[in-house]
Amino acid sequence: MLPHRLISIITFFFFFTPSLFIPPCSSSSSFLSPITKDYETNLYTLTLYLKTPPQLTPLLLDLSSSFSWMDCSIPSSTHRSLSCNSPLCSALGSRACVKCFNSHSPDDCSSNPCILTPSNSVTHKSSTGNAIVEALALAVTDGRNPGQVKGFSEFLLSCSKKCLLKGLMKGVAGLAGLGRSNFSLSTQISTFFVSTRTFALCVSGSPSAPGVAFFGSAGPYYFLPQIDLSKTLNYTPLILNPGQPDYFINLTSIKVNGVSIQLNQTILAVDQHGFGGTTKLSTVTPYTTLHSNIYKAFTETFVNESTKLNLTLTKAMEPFNVCYNADEVLDTTVGPMVPTVDLVMNSDDVFWRIFGSNSMVRIARDGVDVWCLGFLDGDIKNMTAMIIIGGHQMENNLLQFDLEQQRLGFSSSVLAYKTSCSNFNFTTSSNLS
């Protein structure tokens, strides 16, 4: 279920905005959407207006999908299916239409539907569905507040079978694909509204207040009490891994309290073609997952450094292996006082610092109250990268995906700046159009 605050915000947009579908402006526009967390699945939803009449539609937020999909069982007057002879279908590369693409008489394919293969990135199940264009709308923003809602009627996505929703959180209607693709949600917004190919995520860990996604904007991003978090960003190059829509970066080492974990350096090496020990960002992976060799070295170093803070290991709590009694761990503005974890990028002075709020997970059940190290040992055979940075480590961190300059901006914990991702001011400004 969506928090009451979020429902109120978008209900205000719906009833008090004079026109949802406004032609694109001559100048570029920036947009936003609320992000909420589902605590049963530890997954995140992006909430958009879709269809005509506009319907508030929560979709699974996925950084690794090249296009969006939804259950199309609810009627819409702007829903339009694509045929195989459509230029858009050709650009999508529908396998079902290969014969039409190679035909000398493309008109023969006008009645053949353009078929895509939407995939559930949580269960890894896939289906087939018609490629469609549909109406989409979002609120404009100046980085401080949301304003008038604008939209366009040519948002390309796929229909899916209802069974594909199985394994996702209750109430979602599909998936919002934000991967590196010409057909991702973020790219389509930037293209239609002539905005910069940049989007940013600030995921909230709060059960009652949403985080926010910004589209078509490199900043500013203001959070109460009027802190522009775009100015806190450090940058590292995004690595293009051929054929993959994921966002990869190159970590050169991991440090715990400034101590480098002992690793064979070749395990993290990336060649000139983007292959090798890459690190991937994933909003559908709840906790950062490490290749077994990296996990072993990391946890050993973390435990050693924790003893210097007088922390003693206690019984492990699944799915975690390193836990400490909560009453032994002091609290700070950036979470429990445990060793810091630095993900070192292209040089020693460029690192993503992970404080206790993002490295640890509180588990209180069956009379046990512990803080556990929120990193998991990955299955080597099934991992798509040596390191997969998960959602918990992204919470209350501003992440900017700058596809113009092919770089990732990262703030480390915004709690250090005495704000949080739930502190965006969703009060609507009537001056923004």
Side-chain angles (χ1 to χ4, degrees):
M1 295 295 291
L2 294 173
H4 177 75
R5 178 184 173 193
L6 177 55
I7 294 173
S8 300
I9 292 164
I10 304 198
T11 301
F12 183 91
F13 289 159
F14 181 80
F15 286 106
F16 294 95
T17 301
S19 177
L20 279 174
F21 299 105
I22 300 171
C25 311
S26 56
S27 59
S28 62
S29 300
S30 302
F31 299 85
L32 62 77
S33 174
I35 302 172
T36 56
K37 180 176 180 178
D38 177 72
Y39 276 79
E40 289 187 15
T41 60
N42 289 318
L43 299 173
Y44 307 94
T45 59
L46 196 66
T47 307
L48 315 169
Y49 283 116
L50 286 174
K51 305 184 178 182
T52 303
Q55 297 173 25
L56 179 64
T57 308
L59 302 172
L60 173 70
L61 171 58
D62 186 9
L63 282 171
S64 298
S65 290
S66 56
F67 61 88
S68 303
W69 56 264
M70 69 173 180
D71 170 23
C72 295
S73 58
I74 299 174
S76 168
S77 64
T78 45
H79 170 128
R80 178 168 60 84
S81 295
L82 299 181
S83 61
C84 280
N85 67 343
S86 161
L88 272 177
C89 188
S90 178
L92 283 164
S94 168
R95 294 181 181 178
C97 296
V98 170
K99 290 183 179 179
C100 294
F101 299 155
N102 297 327
S103 172
H104 295 294
S105 303
D107 290 340
D108 296 342
C109 297
S110 59
S111 60
N112 293 6
C114 183
I115 303 295
L116 296 178
T117 309
S119 176
N120 181 322
S121 48
V122 176
T123 64
H124 305 292
K125 299 281 177 72
S126 58
S127 180
T128 57
N130 287 4
I132 66 167
V133 290
E134 183 56 278
L136 173 145
L138 293 165
V140 299
T141 185
D142 59 356
R144 294 178 184 270
N145 301 90
Q148 189 179 44
V149 176
K150 291 185 179 181
F152 60 104
S153 58
E154 295 290 314
F155 175 54
L156 189 145
L157 70 164
S158 173
C159 285
S160 74
K161 294 182 172 66
K162 202 173 188 67
C163 61
L164 201 60
L165 297 173
K166 188 175 181 180
L168 303 184
M169 57 283 259
K170 294 177 182 177
V172 296
L175 177 148
L178 298 180
R180 295 172 72 137
S181 161
N182 290 333
F183 302 105
S184 68
L185 170 66
S186 50
T187 299
Q188 289 191 65
I189 292 170
S190 295
T191 300
F192 188 84
F193 289 104
V194 199
S195 301
T196 178
R197 286 192 65 195
T198 300
F199 69 95
L201 305 178
C202 205
V203 178
S204 169
S206 168
S208 59
V212 61
F214 299 95
F215 297 99
S217 170
Y221 314 123
Y222 280 98
F223 290 76
L224 299 173
Q226 294 307 303
I227 298 169
D228 179 8
L229 291 180
S230 69
K231 298 186 183 305
T232 70
L233 296 174
N234 293 302
Y235 295 93
T236 191
L238 285 168
I239 295 173
L240 181 61
N241 197 323
Q244 298 294 323
D246 308 85
Y247 295 97
F248 293 96
I249 56 176
N250 183 23
L251 296 191
T252 55
S253 68
I254 300 174
K255 294 182 179 181
V256 180
N257 264 7
V259 177
S260 295
I261 68 172
Q262 297 302 306
L263 278 180
N264 181 338
Q265 290 304 304
T266 60
I267 200 169
L268 289 175
V270 178
D271 66 22
Q272 60 182 342
H273 303 295
F275 294 108
T278 50
T279 296
K280 181 174 92 167
L281 292 97
S282 172
T283 48
V284 297
T285 302
Y287 303 103
T288 292
T289 305
L290 309 173
H291 180 286
S292 289
N293 292 344
I294 300 173
Y295 180 82
K296 183 174 185 294
F298 170 63
T299 52
E300 286 176 355
T301 307
F302 191 92
V303 170
N304 289 340
E305 291 302 309
S306 295
T307 60
K308 299 176 184 178
L309 296 175
N310 297 318
L311 298 180
T312 304
L313 283 173
T314 189
K315 183 181 178 181
M317 297 287 284
E318 290 187 359
F320 308 112
N321 295 322
V322 176
C323 298
Y324 302 96
N325 287 321
D327 58 6
E328 292 183 7
V329 183
L330 298 177
D331 195 26
T332 73
T333 56
V334 289
M337 184 182 288
V338 295
T340 56
V341 177
D342 291 340
L343 306 180
V344 183
M345 310 291 179
N346 38 307
S347 64
D348 281 346
D349 59 348
V350 179
F351 55 87
W352 180 345
R353 175 154 290 177
I354 299 175
F355 295 99
S357 60
N358 293 107
S359 65
M360 308 300 287
V361 178
R362 186 80 171 260
I363 300 177
R365 64 172 183 251
D366 302 326
V368 175
D369 189 3
V370 294
W371 281 107
C372 295
L373 183 62
F375 291 73
L376 300 180
D377 187 348
D379 182 342
I380 298 174
K381 294 180 180 178
N382 294 326
M383 287 191 68
T384 54
M386 289 294 176
I387 299 172
I388 302 174
I389 299 176
H392 181 69
Q393 280 67 41
M394 297 182 198
E395 290 180 2
N396 286 315
N397 285 245
L398 177 67
L399 298 177
Q400 183 193 80
F401 298 82
D402 182 349
L403 301 184
E404 299 282 350
Q405 301 187 59
Q406 295 298 320
R407 63 182 186 174
L408 173 74
F410 56 95
S411 65
S412 296
S413 177
V414 302
L415 301 179
Y417 301 98
K418 295 182 170 53
T419 190
S420 71
C421 287
S422 61
N423 275 359
F424 183 77
N425 185 0
F426 277 100
T427 304
T428 303
S429 171
S430 59
N431 295 325
L432 290 177
S433 61

PDB file of all heavy atoms in Angstrom, residues 14 20 23 32 40 74 77 101 106 139 147 157 164 168 173 205 209 213 282 306 318 351 358 375-376 382 401 419:
ATOM      1  N   PHE A  14      -3.650  15.318  -9.446  1.00  0.00           N
ATOM      2  CA  PHE A  14      -4.710  14.836 -10.335  1.00  0.00           C
ATOM      3  C   PHE A  14      -5.895  15.797 -10.389  1.00  0.00           C
ATOM      4  O   PHE A  14      -6.411  16.107 -11.447  1.00  0.00           O
ATOM      5  CB  PHE A  14      -5.180  13.459  -9.854  1.00  0.00           C
ATOM      6  CG  PHE A  14      -6.250  12.857 -10.720  1.00  0.00           C
ATOM      7  CD1 PHE A  14      -5.917  12.222 -11.907  1.00  0.00           C
ATOM      8  CD2 PHE A  14      -7.575  12.932 -10.365  1.00  0.00           C
ATOM      9  CE1 PHE A  14      -6.887  11.676 -12.708  1.00  0.00           C
ATOM     10  CE2 PHE A  14      -8.551  12.389 -11.157  1.00  0.00           C
ATOM     11  CZ  PHE A  14      -8.211  11.756 -12.333  1.00  0.00           C
ATOM     12  N   LEU A  20      -3.268  17.725 -18.138  1.00  0.00           N
ATOM     13  CA  LEU A  20      -2.175  16.787 -17.920  1.00  0.00           C
ATOM     14  C   LEU A  20      -1.283  16.640 -19.139  1.00  0.00           C
ATOM     15  O   LEU A  20      -0.085  16.456 -19.012  1.00  0.00           O
ATOM     16  CB  LEU A  20      -2.740  15.412 -17.554  1.00  0.00           C
ATOM     17  CG  LEU A  20      -3.162  15.246 -16.097  1.00  0.00           C
ATOM     18  CD1 LEU A  20      -3.848  13.899 -15.915  1.00  0.00           C
ATOM     19  CD2 LEU A  20      -1.967  15.347 -15.178  1.00  0.00           C
ATOM     20  N   PRO A  23       1.824  20.005 -24.711  1.00  0.00           N
ATOM     21  CA  PRO A  23       2.894  19.834 -25.688  1.00  0.00           C
ATOM     22  C   PRO A  23       4.254  20.184 -25.089  1.00  0.00           C
ATOM     23  O   PRO A  23       4.340  20.985 -24.163  1.00  0.00           O
ATOM     24  CB  PRO A  23       2.523  20.817 -26.808  1.00  0.00           C
ATOM     25  CG  PRO A  23       1.059  21.046 -26.647  1.00  0.00           C
ATOM     26  CD  PRO A  23       0.793  20.945 -25.182  1.00  0.00           C
ATOM     27  N   LEU A  32       9.872  14.967 -11.790  1.00  0.00           N
ATOM     28  CA  LEU A  32      10.134  14.131 -10.622  1.00  0.00           C
ATOM     29  C   LEU A  32       9.024  13.117 -10.434  1.00  0.00           C
ATOM     30  O   LEU A  32       7.928  13.243 -10.981  1.00  0.00           O
ATOM     31  CB  LEU A  32      10.312  14.977  -9.357  1.00  0.00           C
ATOM     32  CG  LEU A  32       9.162  15.842  -8.839  1.00  0.00           C
ATOM     33  CD1 LEU A  32       8.091  15.038  -8.125  1.00  0.00           C
ATOM     34  CD2 LEU A  32       9.712  16.896  -7.879  1.00  0.00           C
ATOM     35  N   GLU A  40       7.935  -5.557   2.843  1.00  0.00           N
ATOM     36  CA  GLU A  40       7.811  -7.013   2.781  1.00  0.00           C
ATOM     37  C   GLU A  40       8.817  -7.604   1.802  1.00  0.00           C
ATOM     38  O   GLU A  40       9.341  -8.690   2.013  1.00  0.00           O
ATOM     39  CB  GLU A  40       6.382  -7.397   2.371  1.00  0.00           C
ATOM     40  CG  GLU A  40       5.344  -7.135   3.460  1.00  0.00           C
ATOM     41  CD  GLU A  40       3.980  -7.678   3.072  1.00  0.00           C
ATOM     42  OE1 GLU A  40       3.903  -8.492   2.117  1.00  0.00           O
ATOM     43  OE2 GLU A  40       2.994  -7.275   3.705  1.00  0.00           O
ATOM     44  N   ILE A  74      -6.585  -3.150 -17.748  1.00  0.00           N
ATOM     45  CA  ILE A  74      -7.484  -2.018 -17.516  1.00  0.00           C
ATOM     46  C   ILE A  74      -7.532  -1.174 -18.785  1.00  0.00           C
ATOM     47  O   ILE A  74      -6.491  -0.755 -19.302  1.00  0.00           O
ATOM     48  CB  ILE A  74      -7.012  -1.174 -16.325  1.00  0.00           C
ATOM     49  CG1 ILE A  74      -6.998  -2.032 -15.053  1.00  0.00           C
ATOM     50  CG2 ILE A  74      -7.903   0.041 -16.117  1.00  0.00           C
ATOM     51  CD1 ILE A  74      -6.426  -1.340 -13.848  1.00  0.00           C
ATOM     52  N   SER A  77      -8.015   4.834 -23.346  1.00  0.00           N
ATOM     53  CA  SER A  77      -8.369   5.378 -24.663  1.00  0.00           C
ATOM     54  C   SER A  77      -7.149   5.766 -25.481  1.00  0.00           C
ATOM     55  O   SER A  77      -7.256   6.001 -26.691  1.00  0.00           O
ATOM     56  CB  SER A  77      -9.291   6.597 -24.495  1.00  0.00           C
ATOM     57  OG  SER A  77      -8.611   7.647 -23.821  1.00  0.00           O
ATOM     58  N   PHE A 101      10.999  -7.408 -41.019  1.00  0.00           N
ATOM     59  CA  PHE A 101      12.089  -6.448 -41.176  1.00  0.00           C
ATOM     60  C   PHE A 101      12.871  -6.741 -42.454  1.00  0.00           C
ATOM     61  O   PHE A 101      13.403  -5.832 -43.096  1.00  0.00           O
ATOM     62  CB  PHE A 101      13.047  -6.513 -39.979  1.00  0.00           C
ATOM     63  CG  PHE A 101      12.396  -6.193 -38.659  1.00  0.00           C
ATOM     64  CD1 PHE A 101      12.934  -6.680 -37.480  1.00  0.00           C
ATOM     65  CD2 PHE A 101      11.253  -5.406 -38.592  1.00  0.00           C
ATOM     66  CE1 PHE A 101      12.345  -6.391 -36.265  1.00  0.00           C
ATOM     67  CE2 PHE A 101      10.657  -5.114 -37.379  1.00  0.00           C
ATOM     68  CZ  PHE A 101      11.198  -5.609 -36.208  1.00  0.00           C
ATOM     69  N   PRO A 106       6.933  -4.635 -46.762  1.00  0.00           N
ATOM     70  CA  PRO A 106       6.628  -4.441 -45.348  1.00  0.00           C
ATOM     71  C   PRO A 106       5.146  -4.228 -45.069  1.00  0.00           C
ATOM     72  O   PRO A 106       4.679  -4.477 -43.972  1.00  0.00           O
ATOM     73  CB  PRO A 106       7.437  -3.190 -44.980  1.00  0.00           C
ATOM     74  CG  PRO A 106       7.691  -2.479 -46.282  1.00  0.00           C
ATOM     75  CD  PRO A 106       7.783  -3.572 -47.304  1.00  0.00           C
ATOM     76  N   ALA A 139       5.189  15.252 -12.781  1.00  0.00           N
ATOM     77  CA  ALA A 139       5.237  16.639 -12.316  1.00  0.00           C
ATOM     78  C   ALA A 139       6.552  17.292 -12.711  1.00  0.00           C
ATOM     79  O   ALA A 139       7.620  16.684 -12.591  1.00  0.00           O
ATOM     80  CB  ALA A 139       5.071  16.695 -10.803  1.00  0.00           C
ATOM     81  N   GLY A 147       5.638  20.837  -9.514  1.00  0.00           N
ATOM     82  CA  GLY A 147       4.736  21.844 -10.055  1.00  0.00           C
ATOM     83  C   GLY A 147       3.661  21.193 -10.895  1.00  0.00           C
ATOM     84  O   GLY A 147       3.179  20.104 -10.579  1.00  0.00           O
ATOM     85  N   LEU A 157       6.169   1.148 -24.300  1.00  0.00           N
ATOM     86  CA  LEU A 157       6.399   0.091 -23.317  1.00  0.00           C
ATOM     87  C   LEU A 157       5.762  -1.185 -23.827  1.00  0.00           C
ATOM     88  O   LEU A 157       5.254  -1.229 -24.955  1.00  0.00           O
ATOM     89  CB  LEU A 157       5.849   0.480 -21.947  1.00  0.00           C
ATOM     90  CG  LEU A 157       4.332   0.560 -21.723  1.00  0.00           C
ATOM     91  CD1 LEU A 157       4.016   0.580 -20.233  1.00  0.00           C
ATOM     92  CD2 LEU A 157       3.727   1.793 -22.382  1.00  0.00           C
ATOM     93  N   LEU A 164       2.957 -12.316 -14.785  1.00  0.00           N
ATOM     94  CA  LEU A 164       4.327 -11.816 -14.661  1.00  0.00           C
ATOM     95  C   LEU A 164       4.505 -10.956 -13.417  1.00  0.00           C
ATOM     96  O   LEU A 164       5.619 -10.710 -12.974  1.00  0.00           O
ATOM     97  CB  LEU A 164       4.712 -11.024 -15.916  1.00  0.00           C
ATOM     98  CG  LEU A 164       6.210 -10.849 -16.182  1.00  0.00           C
ATOM     99  CD1 LEU A 164       6.909 -12.184 -16.334  1.00  0.00           C
ATOM    100  CD2 LEU A 164       6.439  -9.997 -17.419  1.00  0.00           C
ATOM    101  N   LEU A 168       6.278  -9.821  -7.190  1.00  0.00           N
ATOM    102  CA  LEU A 168       6.482  -8.400  -6.941  1.00  0.00           C
ATOM    103  C   LEU A 168       5.615  -7.964  -5.763  1.00  0.00           C
ATOM    104  O   LEU A 168       4.779  -8.720  -5.270  1.00  0.00           O
ATOM    105  CB  LEU A 168       6.160  -7.583  -8.187  1.00  0.00           C
ATOM    106  CG  LEU A 168       6.936  -7.938  -9.449  1.00  0.00           C
ATOM    107  CD1 LEU A 168       6.575  -6.984 -10.582  1.00  0.00           C
ATOM    108  CD2 LEU A 168       8.438  -7.922  -9.189  1.00  0.00           C
ATOM    109  N   ALA A 173       1.692  -2.446 -10.917  1.00  0.00           N
ATOM    110  CA  ALA A 173       1.062  -2.783 -12.191  1.00  0.00           C
ATOM    111  C   ALA A 173       2.069  -3.227 -13.238  1.00  0.00           C
ATOM    112  O   ALA A 173       1.687  -3.589 -14.354  1.00  0.00           O
ATOM    113  CB  ALA A 173       0.280  -1.584 -12.714  1.00  0.00           C
ATOM    114  N   GLY A 205      14.657   5.371   3.163  1.00  0.00           N
ATOM    115  CA  GLY A 205      14.481   4.177   3.983  1.00  0.00           C
ATOM    116  C   GLY A 205      13.312   4.312   4.926  1.00  0.00           C
ATOM    117  O   GLY A 205      13.058   3.423   5.745  1.00  0.00           O
ATOM    118  N   ALA A 209       7.530   8.136   4.531  1.00  0.00           N
ATOM    119  CA  ALA A 209       7.796   9.277   3.655  1.00  0.00           C
ATOM    120  C   ALA A 209       8.579   8.814   2.430  1.00  0.00           C
ATOM    121  O   ALA A 209       9.557   8.074   2.565  1.00  0.00           O
ATOM    122  CB  ALA A 209       8.574  10.359   4.401  1.00  0.00           C
ATOM    123  N   ALA A 213      12.732  10.623  -7.410  1.00  0.00           N
ATOM    124  CA  ALA A 213      13.527  10.471  -8.632  1.00  0.00           C
ATOM    125  C   ALA A 213      13.398  11.751  -9.443  1.00  0.00           C
ATOM    126  O   ALA A 213      12.293  12.287  -9.589  1.00  0.00           O
ATOM    127  CB  ALA A 213      13.034   9.281  -9.450  1.00  0.00           C
ATOM    128  N   SER A 282      22.027  -2.207  -8.541  1.00  0.00           N
ATOM    129  CA  SER A 282      20.755  -2.890  -8.748  1.00  0.00           C
ATOM    130  C   SER A 282      19.744  -2.506  -7.675  1.00  0.00           C
ATOM    131  O   SER A 282      19.996  -2.706  -6.485  1.00  0.00           O
ATOM    132  CB  SER A 282      20.949  -4.409  -8.734  1.00  0.00           C
ATOM    133  OG  SER A 282      19.703  -5.080  -8.754  1.00  0.00           O
ATOM    134  N   SER A 306      36.174  -4.312  13.819  1.00  0.00           N
ATOM    135  CA  SER A 306      35.109  -4.148  14.810  1.00  0.00           C
ATOM    136  C   SER A 306      35.599  -4.423  16.224  1.00  0.00           C
ATOM    137  O   SER A 306      35.101  -3.833  17.191  1.00  0.00           O
ATOM    138  CB  SER A 306      33.933  -5.082  14.486  1.00  0.00           C
ATOM    139  OG  SER A 306      33.322  -4.721  13.271  1.00  0.00           O
ATOM    140  N   GLU A 318      19.950 -15.178   9.754  1.00  0.00           N
ATOM    141  CA  GLU A 318      19.790 -15.272   8.300  1.00  0.00           C
ATOM    142  C   GLU A 318      19.085 -14.030   7.754  1.00  0.00           C
ATOM    143  O   GLU A 318      18.186 -13.483   8.395  1.00  0.00           O
ATOM    144  CB  GLU A 318      18.978 -16.525   7.947  1.00  0.00           C
ATOM    145  CG  GLU A 318      19.724 -17.812   8.201  1.00  0.00           C
ATOM    146  CD  GLU A 318      18.953 -19.023   7.674  1.00  0.00           C
ATOM    147  OE1 GLU A 318      17.837 -18.847   7.127  1.00  0.00           O
ATOM    148  OE2 GLU A 318      19.469 -20.141   7.800  1.00  0.00           O
ATOM    149  N   PHE A 351      36.021   7.826  -3.501  1.00  0.00           N
ATOM    150  CA  PHE A 351      35.445   6.638  -2.865  1.00  0.00           C
ATOM    151  C   PHE A 351      34.038   6.937  -2.356  1.00  0.00           C
ATOM    152  O   PHE A 351      33.710   8.055  -1.988  1.00  0.00           O
ATOM    153  CB  PHE A 351      36.329   6.146  -1.711  1.00  0.00           C
ATOM    154  CG  PHE A 351      36.623   7.180  -0.663  1.00  0.00           C
ATOM    155  CD1 PHE A 351      35.763   7.397   0.410  1.00  0.00           C
ATOM    156  CD2 PHE A 351      37.785   7.947  -0.746  1.00  0.00           C
ATOM    157  CE1 PHE A 351      36.038   8.358   1.364  1.00  0.00           C
ATOM    158  CE2 PHE A 351      38.069   8.911   0.216  1.00  0.00           C
ATOM    159  CZ  PHE A 351      37.197   9.122   1.271  1.00  0.00           C
ATOM    160  N   ASN A 358      23.947   2.356   6.352  1.00  0.00           N
ATOM    161  CA  ASN A 358      23.853   1.588   5.116  1.00  0.00           C
ATOM    162  C   ASN A 358      24.592   0.255   5.153  1.00  0.00           C
ATOM    163  O   ASN A 358      24.292  -0.639   4.363  1.00  0.00           O
ATOM    164  CB  ASN A 358      24.381   2.402   3.933  1.00  0.00           C
ATOM    165  CG  ASN A 358      23.512   3.601   3.613  1.00  0.00           C
ATOM    166  OD1 ASN A 358      23.890   4.736   3.875  1.00  0.00           O
ATOM    167  ND2 ASN A 358      22.331   3.358   3.075  1.00  0.00           N
ATOM    168  N   PHE A 375      25.639  -7.273   3.998  1.00  0.00           N
ATOM    169  CA  PHE A 375      26.275  -7.690   2.741  1.00  0.00           C
ATOM    170  C   PHE A 375      26.140  -9.203   2.649  1.00  0.00           C
ATOM    171  O   PHE A 375      26.238  -9.905   3.664  1.00  0.00           O
ATOM    172  CB  PHE A 375      27.755  -7.310   2.701  1.00  0.00           C
ATOM    173  CG  PHE A 375      28.008  -5.826   2.614  1.00  0.00           C
ATOM    174  CD1 PHE A 375      27.802  -5.001   3.712  1.00  0.00           C
ATOM    175  CD2 PHE A 375      28.482  -5.260   1.442  1.00  0.00           C
ATOM    176  CE1 PHE A 375      28.048  -3.630   3.648  1.00  0.00           C
ATOM    177  CE2 PHE A 375      28.728  -3.894   1.359  1.00  0.00           C
ATOM    178  CZ  PHE A 375      28.504  -3.083   2.472  1.00  0.00           C
ATOM    179  N   LEU A 376      25.933  -9.722   1.440  1.00  0.00           N
ATOM    180  CA  LEU A 376      25.705 -11.150   1.261  1.00  0.00           C
ATOM    181  C   LEU A 376      26.788 -11.805   0.410  1.00  0.00           C
ATOM    182  O   LEU A 376      27.408 -11.162  -0.444  1.00  0.00           O
ATOM    183  CB  LEU A 376      24.342 -11.376   0.600  1.00  0.00           C
ATOM    184  CG  LEU A 376      23.117 -10.853   1.358  1.00  0.00           C
ATOM    185  CD1 LEU A 376      21.843 -11.146   0.562  1.00  0.00           C
ATOM    186  CD2 LEU A 376      23.033 -11.429   2.754  1.00  0.00           C
ATOM    187  N   ASN A 382      25.927 -17.623 -10.554  1.00  0.00           N
ATOM    188  CA  ASN A 382      24.769 -16.845 -10.990  1.00  0.00           C
ATOM    189  C   ASN A 382      24.971 -15.342 -10.928  1.00  0.00           C
ATOM    190  O   ASN A 382      24.081 -14.581 -11.287  1.00  0.00           O
ATOM    191  CB  ASN A 382      23.544 -17.228 -10.152  1.00  0.00           C
ATOM    192  CG  ASN A 382      23.114 -18.662 -10.396  1.00  0.00           C
ATOM    193  OD1 ASN A 382      23.231 -19.165 -11.500  1.00  0.00           O
ATOM    194  ND2 ASN A 382      22.630 -19.324  -9.358  1.00  0.00           N
ATOM    195  N   PHE A 401      22.786   9.550 -12.462  1.00  0.00           N
ATOM    196  CA  PHE A 401      23.209   8.792 -13.639  1.00  0.00           C
ATOM    197  C   PHE A 401      23.284   9.772 -14.808  1.00  0.00           C
ATOM    198  O   PHE A 401      22.260  10.127 -15.406  1.00  0.00           O
ATOM    199  CB  PHE A 401      22.229   7.655 -13.918  1.00  0.00           C
ATOM    200  CG  PHE A 401      22.155   6.653 -12.794  1.00  0.00           C
ATOM    201  CD1 PHE A 401      21.367   6.901 -11.676  1.00  0.00           C
ATOM    202  CD2 PHE A 401      22.889   5.478 -12.839  1.00  0.00           C
ATOM    203  CE1 PHE A 401      21.304   5.985 -10.626  1.00  0.00           C
ATOM    204  CE2 PHE A 401      22.838   4.568 -11.800  1.00  0.00           C
ATOM    205  CZ  PHE A 401      22.044   4.830 -10.690  1.00  0.00           C
ATOM    206  N   THR A 419      20.263  15.802   6.575  1.00  0.00           N
ATOM    207  CA  THR A 419      19.018  15.674   5.840  1.00  0.00           C
ATOM    208  C   THR A 419      18.838  14.207   5.494  1.00  0.00           C
ATOM    209  O   THR A 419      19.620  13.351   5.919  1.00  0.00           O
ATOM    210  CB  THR A 419      19.002  16.573   4.589  1.00  0.00           C
ATOM    211  OG1 THR A 419      17.687  16.586   4.027  1.00  0.00           O
ATOM    212  CG2 THR A 419      20.015  16.108   3.551  1.00  0.00           C
TER     213      THR A 419
END
